[in-house]
Amino acid sequence: MTYILENKKLKVTISNIGAELISVYDKENAVERMWDANPTVWNRHAPILFPFVGKLTNNQYHYKEQEYYINTQHGFARDMEFVCICSNQQSVTHCLKANQTTKEIYPFSFELYVTHSLDPKNERLLNIQWEIKNVGSEKMYYSIGGHPGFRTPLKTEETREDYYLEIPNKKELEYLLLNPTTGFAVTDKKFTLTLENGFCPIEKNMFDKDALIFENTQIETMRIAKPDKSPYITVTCKGFPYVGIWSKPEGKFICLEPWFGRTDNDGFSGTLEEKPGIQTLEKMETKEIGYQIEFHK
């Protein structure tokens, strides 16, 4: 089942499966702005990554001297059916709660609420809010992230490489790459993204080694800019410790991904408590995390 949010500028569609944003139709320009989930390239639109971001070493983790197996990267929430608990034309909230199936692979009692809402002041702005609750009796370990993929290029006569990344007010950023064989972060070598007046061209081979991973809250605003460098998509993610920027080499999309957590390091063999980027909630504690996407005209 899907739910529609709509105003004069945008028509937004959210699915019960994964509480995933699957469409943003720009009514003013009569064009779809999200990636179409072409299964031959990448079969997602904007999955929510929970309770892990990225891959686990050997698809497993160790907690309290037990091994737990998750056979997919990015956790399990993206493939589960959420329950819609309230909706109207401007906002929809979905919920996923721990159950017997989740506890077999993730032993914590949680509630995850996901709210998509159109901004009342800016009709081109979509707000995404996550509320993570630890309803168990012990400390909970988790990660969460967004993975929205935006259609790039917008026009058939353009290519993805005609567009730019823009990180406002930045000249240089440090990032990690993944080991292309394992998919895990290589931490002993860091790379520099150089920006001219905040802009960097999207190069053909930029994503040959998968995502560019930016740590230490280096990015709180990131943008895809059009060939004339005017704004196309802006993601605002204040306070997020990690950001991933990714595409498939053959993909006509760019993902701007705000994360609380990231993939394991190459060769990591520690416990869940030692996992890079892991977040914690004390018993009965709640964490609210939000980011915004602006679909410029």
Side-chain angles (χ1 to χ4, degrees):
M1 187 171 181
T2 58
Y3 292 83
I4 303 295
L5 312 180
E6 193 166 7
N7 59 25
K8 293 179 181 178
K9 307 292 185 184
L10 303 176
K11 181 179 180 181
V12 176
T13 306
I14 313 295
S15 173
N16 275 3
I17 304 302
E20 185 176 3
L21 169 65
I22 61 173
S23 173
V24 176
Y25 184 72
D26 185 337
K27 296 162 67 174
E28 193 171 15
N29 294 307
V31 67
E32 175 63 46
R33 303 293 289 270
M34 301 300 295
W35 168 243
D36 64 5
N38 181 340
T40 65
V41 182
W42 181 54
N43 64 342
R44 311 274 181 173
H45 303 275
I48 295 168
L49 318 180
F50 177 88
F52 299 112
V53 174
K55 296 181 67 176
L56 299 170
T57 303
N58 298 321
N59 293 326
Q60 67 183 33
Y61 63 95
H62 301 269
Y63 176 67
K64 289 192 172 181
E65 299 182 350
Q66 292 190 46
E67 290 184 350
Y68 294 87
Y69 292 85
I70 296 182
N71 292 325
T72 60
Q73 66 175 351
H74 298 318
F76 51 75
R78 63 183 186 167
D79 295 315
M80 298 194 72
E81 185 163 3
F82 283 61
V83 174
C84 177
I85 59 173
C86 61
S87 67
N88 56 48
Q89 200 171 28
Q90 301 302 308
S91 177
V92 60
T93 298
H94 285 88
C95 177
L96 179 67
K97 295 183 180 182
N99 55 43
Q100 184 176 352
T101 300
T102 66
K103 286 194 172 183
E104 290 177 358
I105 56 176
Y106 181 68
F108 302 100
S109 297
F110 69 88
E111 295 179 0
L112 172 60
Y113 297 87
V114 179
T115 300
H116 293 83
S117 60
L118 291 168
D119 194 88
K121 296 181 180 179
N122 180 350
E123 291 187 308
R124 289 191 163 276
L125 188 67
L126 180 67
N127 297 297
I128 296 97
Q129 188 76 19
W130 304 320
E131 184 178 354
I132 311 104
K133 292 185 177 182
N134 177 6
V135 295
S137 59
E138 60 185 13
K139 183 183 289 188
M140 173 177 150
Y141 296 86
Y142 74 98
S143 300
I144 192 167
H147 199 319
F150 305 107
R151 179 183 167 190
T152 313
L154 186 62
K155 299 177 181 179
T156 55
E157 66 270 20
E158 298 171 340
T159 69
R160 187 182 63 181
E161 289 70 39
D162 291 329
Y163 284 65
Y164 295 85
L165 294 176
E166 182 185 1
I167 316 296
N169 305 313
K170 298 288 186 177
K171 294 182 179 179
E172 286 187 346
L173 294 168
E174 190 176 73
Y175 65 93
L176 303 177
L177 288 175
L178 304 182
N179 180 330
T181 302
T182 65
F184 299 117
V186 178
T187 58
D188 59 359
K189 185 176 182 181
K190 296 187 177 181
F191 299 85
T192 300
L193 184 71
T194 302
L195 302 123
E196 184 176 346
N197 298 319
F199 291 92
C200 171
I202 297 173
E203 298 176 349
K204 184 175 183 179
N205 299 318
M206 180 174 280
F207 305 107
D208 283 356
K209 293 187 177 181
D210 210 284
L212 283 58
I213 300 174
F214 301 85
E215 301 187 293
N216 304 316
T217 318
Q218 292 183 81
I219 297 176
E220 294 190 307
T221 300
M222 51 184 164
R223 182 175 295 130
I224 303 170
K226 296 177 184 178
D228 64 0
K229 294 186 176 180
S230 63
Y232 173 51
I233 298 285
T234 297
V235 171
T236 304
C237 50
K238 294 187 182 301
F240 279 72
Y242 303 95
V243 157
I245 299 178
W246 174 78
S247 183
K248 287 277 193 178
E250 71 277 23
K252 295 183 179 181
F253 65 90
I254 297 286
C255 290
L256 303 179
E257 308 178 37
W259 300 335
F260 270 77
R262 66 162 174 82
T263 191
D264 282 354
N265 290 337
D266 207 28
F268 176 73
S269 60
T271 65
L272 179 62
E273 296 93 325
E274 298 167 325
K275 178 175 167 55
I278 199 70
Q279 308 295 309
T280 61
L281 285 174
E282 299 295 334
K283 62 180 182 179
M284 306 311 294
E285 185 180 3
T286 297
K287 175 76 171 181
E288 294 185 5
I289 301 171
Y291 72 100
Q292 298 77 43
I293 305 172
E294 184 168 2
F295 299 86
H296 299 275
K297 183 177 178 179

